[in-house]
Every structure is written in structure tokens, then in C-alpha cells.
């Protein structure tokens, strides 16, 4: 039986989004994210600026989440926060804030692994979204992570494949940078790709054993290809932008789908759940959906606001940990790298 009256305040500050959410059991009452636009002009996240922006954002973001949820802080059952992995200066802001608030309210403190949260985001109760059953495979794809995870229960997860260099979101963003598109370029590649021919240009796919990924070679291949083409035609990018984007996206999707198909074959598990910012990609969504009719897989894509970095996913892990009385003392430390 679920405890019907658990209210979790969740805080996420691992990278460049300051986020707070309030959950009532597994339902989200409020999910507030303050994006830090300051990084766009630098073409990537600047850790020191991120940490400073978290300090400015955290009080208003938590305040907004509580007001939106329409609950008083005295009603909270516990505070859950991202312990890691992430940028140390960013993690410390959310961690210190959560410790102080749990001490002031005299309620339990719950530490959450950000990567577990991307996986368990599928268990947020949301109309129109099915939850996977155990065991399932989770493909977590974002600007910071690329992992295939075998999930046997809420707390029994094993990484069975991951990137050996760049994350898939970085592959999108760095390719976009070569094409002189603004950061983050992933959504723009997706947009132009929809108007182009995915077979226009061929890029060699990396050969990596097993279920691991590599994306740095692809980025170099794209760079050399563009440099060569520009020698013959300085306007090559502008004249072929849609086709270039479609071809890059097609290659990235093939790399992802080859590995996830191998993971299904090796584990015999046909439920596949994707999460992370790159799961917004229209091509990846379509490729994954197509496996349902073609191979009899069941696939899961969470509501978009729970798939990019957010605090609701921290809250759902917090809720499960609360049910298991898995609490921390104020001596718990933030960790840039964290054991899975
Ligand atoms: O999960 P997220 O918001 O933050 C972390 O990196 O943890 O993911 C952001 C990444 C960026 O690399 C962005 O370019 C990529 O997700 N992204 C996309 C799309 N939307 C976001 N990549 C490809 N196609 C998209 N539609
Ligand atoms: Zn993330």
C-alpha cells in the first residue's frame, strides 16, 4: 500500500538548470526549471557561471514550485536533492540549500543519483503515459550522458553500455558548431534534418565492441568533410544545410539503434525506455516507435518536461527512497562522479 500523503520537495542543480519540483506521492504538483541562458554566448556550459546562477535562482525557483503546488513548506515530508554526478560547484548549491532546509523544517534529507532519476522519470504518474514493468532497458541520451541501462527494480540498475568519449548530445552540438549553428545545436539539426535527404552524404560509423558508444570520430569526420567541401564551394554549408543535417542525424540514429538492438538481442528484454534531452529528437522517436510494429518491442518516451534535466525526476526517486526510509544525515557529500 502506498502512503497517500507523501509530499517531496525535489531540487536539481547538477549542470546549468536550476530546478525544483513538488510531488504528492508519484504525481507532480509543480515542476519549475530556470534555464541559464548566460552559457549560450560561450557555446557551452561555463561551470563558474553555472554555480553563480544557481545561487541566484534557487530561492525563487523553490518558492515558485511551492506556490504552484499550493502547499506550505510545513506540509513537506522530505527534501530530495541531486547528489551527483555533475559539476561540483553546481551540485554544492543544491546540496547545501537542501541540507539547510531539511534541518530547518526537521524533515528527512534524501540524496539522489541524477542518472537513476533519468531512468525512474518513467514512473511519474501522468495521464496518457504508460510505465514500463521490470525488467526493461533504459537508453539515457543527453548532452552529458549516453548509457544503456538494464533496470531490474527501482534500485537495481546496471549500466551495460556507455559512451567512451563524447555524449550523443555533444555529437549533435559539436556537429552543429561546425555548421556555424548556435548552441545548443541539437534541436536545430533536428529541425533542418526534417527538410533534407538523410542519404545525401555518408559518414563512417565508429566500430566499438559490445554495447559501448563512441562519437568523437564522427565529429572529426564531419569536420574534415565540411573543410574539404568548402575548398570547392565556400557556400557549401548554406546551400546544403538540410541535407547535411539529415545525414548527420541519420548516422547518429543508426549508431544508437544498432546498439539498442544488440542490447535487446543480448538481454532478451524487449521493453525500451528513452530519456535525456536528445530523446526529443524526432528521428530517434520515429526510429524507436517503428520497432514496435517491426520487432514487437514496447517503447516508452516520457513527457518532454520530465526528460530534459528537471527536478520532478529527482522527486520520483525521492518518493521511492522515502517509502524505503532511505535517508541521509547532513554529512552527506555531493559527488561530481558517483558510483552507479
Ligand atoms: O537532458 P538535457 O537537457 O541536458 C543534459 O545535457 O543533461 O540535454 C541537452 C542536450 C543538448 O545536447 C541538446 O542539443 C540535445 O539535448 N537536444 C537535442 C534535441 N533537443 C535537445 N538533440 C537532438 N535533437 C533534438 N530535438
Ligand atoms: Zn541529465
Amino acid at each position: 500500500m502506498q502512503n497517500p500523503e507523501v509530499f517531496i520537495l525535489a531540487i536539481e542543480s547538477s549542470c546549468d538548470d536550476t530546478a525544483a519540483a513538488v510531488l504528492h506521492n508519484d504525481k507532480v504538483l509543480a515542476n519549475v526549471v530556470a534555464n541559464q541562458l548566460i552559457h549560450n554566448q560561450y557555446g557551452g556550459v561555463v561551470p563558474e557561471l553555472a554555480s553563480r546562477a544557481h545561487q541566484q535562482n534557487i530561492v525563487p525557483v523553490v518558492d515558485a514550485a511551492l506556490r504552484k503546488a499550493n502547499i506550505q513548506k510545513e506540509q513537506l515530508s522530505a527534501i530530495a536533492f541531486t547528489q551527483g554526478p555533475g559539476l561540483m560547484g553546481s551540485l554544492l548549491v543544491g546540496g547545501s540549500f537542501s541540507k539547510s532546509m531539511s534541518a530547518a523544517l526537521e524533515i528527512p534529507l534524501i540524496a539522489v543519483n541524477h542518472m537513476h532519476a533519468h531512468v525512474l522519470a518513467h514512473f511519474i504518474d501522468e495521464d496518457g503515459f504508460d510505465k514500463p514493468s521490470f525488467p526493461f532497458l533504459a537508453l539515457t541520451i543527453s548532452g552529458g550522458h549516453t548509457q544503456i541501462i538494464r533496470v531490474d527494480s527501482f534500485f537495481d540498475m546496471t549500466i551495460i553500455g556507455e559512451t567512451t568519449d563524447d555524449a550523443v548530445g555533444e555529437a549533435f552540438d559539436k556537429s552543429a558548431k561546425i555548421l556555424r549553428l548556435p548552441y545548443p545545436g541539437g534541436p536545430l539539426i533536428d529541425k533542418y534534418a526534417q527538410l533534407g535527404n538523410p542519404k545525401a552524404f555518408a559518414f563512417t560509423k565508429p566500430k566499438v565492441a559490445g554495447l559501448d558508444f563512441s562519437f568523437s570520430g564522427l565529429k572529426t569526420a564531419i569536420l574534415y568533410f565540411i573543410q574539404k567541401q568548402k575548398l570547392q564551394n565556400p557556400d557549401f554549408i548554406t546551400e546544403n544545410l538540410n541535407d547535411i543535417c539529415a545525414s548527420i542525424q541519420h548516422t547518429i540514429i543508426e549508431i544508437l539503434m544498432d546498439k539498442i538492438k544488440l542490447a535487446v538481442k543480448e538481454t532478451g528484454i524487449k521493453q525500451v525506455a528513452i530519456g535525456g534531452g536528445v530523446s526529443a529528437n524526432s528521428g530517434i522517436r520515429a526510429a524507436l516507435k517503428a520497432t514496435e510494429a517491426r520487432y514487437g518491442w514496447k517503447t516508452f518516451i516520457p513527457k518532454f518536461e520530465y526528460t530534459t534535466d528537471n527536478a520532478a525526476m529527482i522527486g520520483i526517486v525521492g518518493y521511492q527512497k522515502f517509502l524505503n526510509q532511505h535517508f541521509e544525515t547532513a554529512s552527506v557529500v555531493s559527488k561530481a562522479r558517483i558510483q552507479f
Side-chain angles (χ1 to χ4, degrees):
M1 253 288 280
Q2 291 184 343
N3 181 338
E5 287 301 335
V6 179
F7 289 98
I8 305 278
L9 170 66
I11 292 170
E12 151 66 31
S13 70
S14 64
C15 191
D16 62 337
D17 295 317
T18 319
V22 178
L23 273 75
H24 178 204
N25 298 343
D26 57 357
K27 278 199 184 327
V28 177
L29 301 182
N31 187 36
V32 178
V33 183
N35 304 115
Q36 301 181 359
L37 299 176
I38 180 133
H39 306 285
N40 291 4
Q41 58 189 290
Y42 299 98
V45 177
V46 184
E48 180 52 34
L49 295 179
S51 154
R52 254 186 269 166
H54 282 306
Q55 289 176 38
Q56 285 166 2
N57 292 343
I58 193 144
V59 172
V61 165
V62 168
D63 193 47
L66 286 169
R67 268 188 290 125
K68 190 154 181 251
N70 198 21
I71 70 157
Q72 304 299 312
K73 53 186 184 305
E74 290 73 23
Q75 290 173 265
L76 292 172
S77 316
I79 300 191
F81 73 99
T82 306
Q83 183 185 15
L87 301 170
M88 198 52 176
S90 294
L91 291 166
L92 283 171
V93 178
S96 319
F97 181 91
S98 304
K99 285 179 192 180
S100 319
M101 194 159 170
S102 84
L105 295 171
E106 297 181 5
I107 54 174
L109 179 67
I110 298 171
V112 174
N113 180 326
H114 180 93
M115 298 313 299
H116 286 182
H118 272 301
V119 173
L120 296 190
H122 293 276
F123 292 91
I124 292 171
D125 191 47
E126 192 70 41
D127 288 346
F129 289 82
D130 288 342
K131 297 174 189 169
S133 54
F134 300 113
F136 66 93
L137 297 176
L139 177 67
T140 306
I141 43 178
S142 77
H145 357 276
T146 305
Q147 293 182 328
I148 304 178
I149 301 156
R150 181 193 163 109
V151 190
D152 285 288
S153 76
F154 284 115
F155 299 109
D156 184 3
M157 306 182 195
T158 318
I159 299 170
I160 57 173
E162 63 187 328
T163 183
T164 53
D165 42 53
D166 290 348
V168 61
E170 281 179 286
F172 272 107
D173 296 340
K174 288 179 180 176
S175 304
K177 199 171 172 189
I178 296 170
L179 303 177
R180 307 238 173 277
L181 296 174
Y183 173 86
L188 292 170
I189 292 201
D190 189 1
K191 184 175 143 198
Y192 296 123
Q194 292 176 43
L195 306 168
N197 172 9
K199 300 262 169 72
F201 309 106
F203 300 107
T204 326
K205 289 190 283 175
K207 290 187 179 56
V208 188
L211 297 174
D212 285 340
F213 300 92
S214 167
F215 289 102
S216 65
L218 176 65
K219 170 194 65 195
T220 314
I222 293 166
L223 179 65
Y224 289 162
F225 168 78
I226 297 290
Q227 282 174 344
K228 200 169 147 206
Q229 296 295 329
K230 276 173 73 178
L231 285 178
Q232 285 150 28
N233 174 9
D235 297 326
F236 178 76
I237 294 178
T238 25
E239 286 174 9
N240 297 279
L241 189 59
N242 296 341
D243 284 349
I244 302 170
C245 288
S247 303
I248 292 172
Q249 179 162 306
H250 176 73
T251 311
I252 293 177
I253 293 171
E254 276 200 335
I255 296 171
L256 290 172
M257 291 308 295
D258 285 352
K259 293 291 178 172
I260 197 76
K261 280 179 198 160
L262 184 60
V264 168
K265 196 170 158 216
E266 286 187 0
T267 60
I269 299 170
K270 287 189 167 185
Q271 286 193 96
V272 178
I274 62 166
V278 180
S279 60
N281 185 272
S282 61
I284 290 167
R285 285 174 170 247
L288 200 69
K289 208 79 210 138
T291 64
E292 298 204 334
R294 195 171 305 155
Y295 308 120
W297 295 9
K298 194 157 167 41
T299 64
F300 302 85
I301 306 175
K303 199 173 167 189
F304 185 64
E305 64 178 291
Y306 305 142
T307 198
T308 56
D309 282 355
N310 68 89
M313 69 179 191
I314 305 301
I316 193 75
V317 183
Y319 172 59
Q320 287 300 330
K321 286 198 163 187
F322 187 91
L323 296 181
N324 287 282
Q325 304 275 296
H326 196 148
F327 302 137
E328 306 293 337
T329 65
S331 61
V332 62
V333 288
S334 298
K335 292 181 178 167
R337 290 169 184 275
I338 197 167
Q339 200 68 29
F340 197 74

